[in-house]
């Protein structure tokens, strides 16, 4: 059997090219990382909102509205499906990573706040919660 054959030659002969390739690949992987981070957060937001939708309609709307409003502020009308009344999850993908993180943080804080409020034996009375 022969050695590396044409593939081996291409590897050896394309020195200048392979260096360029490596560089673009590095940029791509950094970009992939950002994309992956964004996708993870978008998924988290989706999961949180879907869970709320099943658990508690009122809260779902209370949390969804500020998110929808934020998306509508951030994206030009021609660049989004969402309206003030309806959030399309695809639009989250169009937000910057920073904006996604803000939405994610907002929801996480809200949901954390809920779980700490509903813990038994909290002792804090709920007066003024209605205002």
């Amino acid at each position: 059997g022969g050695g590396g054959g044409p593939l081996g030659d291409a590897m050896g002969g394309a020195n200048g090219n392979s260096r360029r390739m490596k560089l673009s690949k590095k940029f791509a992987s950094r970009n992939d990382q950002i994309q992956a981070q964004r996708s993870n957060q978008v998924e988290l937001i989706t999961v949180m909102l879907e869970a709320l939708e099943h658990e508690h309609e009122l809260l779902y709307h209370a949390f969804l509205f500020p998110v929808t409003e934020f998306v509508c502020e951030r994206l030009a009308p021609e660049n989004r499906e969402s309206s003030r009344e309806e959030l399309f999850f695809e639009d989250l993908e169009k937000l910057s990573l920073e904006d996604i993180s803000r939405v994610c943080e907002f929801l996480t804080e809200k949901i954390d706040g809920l779980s700490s409020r509903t813990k038994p034996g909290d002792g804090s009375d709920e007066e003024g919660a209605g205002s």
Side-chain angles (χ1 to χ4, degrees):
L7 191 63
D9 292 345
M11 292 302 233
N15 244 342
N17 283 352
S18 72
R19 192 178 297 130
R20 241 204 318 280
M21 285 298 294
K22 226 176 246 144
L23 192 64
S24 66
K25 195 166 172 147
K26 194 169 170 185
F27 282 127
S29 72
R30 163 127 183 79
N31 210 14
D32 287 350
Q33 222 175 341
I34 291 172
Q35 283 302 108
Q37 200 177 340
R38 176 187 284 158
S39 310
N40 288 346
Q41 293 196 319
V42 166
E43 199 166 319
L44 188 59
I45 291 166
T46 313
V47 166
M48 287 193 279
L49 287 172
E50 282 175 348
L52 273 172
E53 189 179 14
H54 294 300
E55 289 301 316
H56 203 305
E57 201 178 340
L58 248 166
L59 288 176
Y60 169 67
H61 290 291
F63 293 179
L64 186 64
F65 186 70
V67 172
T68 312
E69 192 132 90
F70 182 74
V71 169
C72 290
E73 272 169 31
R74 286 306 204 208
L75 301 172
E78 61 273 11
N79 192 28
R80 60 174 153 84
E81 299 289 316
S82 300
S83 65
R84 302 261 171 203
E85 289 75 40
E86 193 173 5
L87 177 68
F88 282 79
F89 289 128
E90 306 89 83
D91 286 343
L92 293 170
E93 299 276 3
K94 299 174 190 165
L95 294 173
S96 73
L97 188 57
E98 197 182 322
D99 285 346
I100 290 282
S101 298
R102 287 173 67 180
V103 172
C104 215
E105 245 168 66
F106 165 79
L107 284 173
T108 311
E109 275 172 23
K110 288 280 186 206
I111 290 171
D112 281 354
L114 280 181
S115 57
S116 65
R117 243 208 322 257
T118 53
K119 277 196 191 105
D122 190 6
S124 67
D125 52 14
E126 290 282 319
E127 278 182 15
S131 50

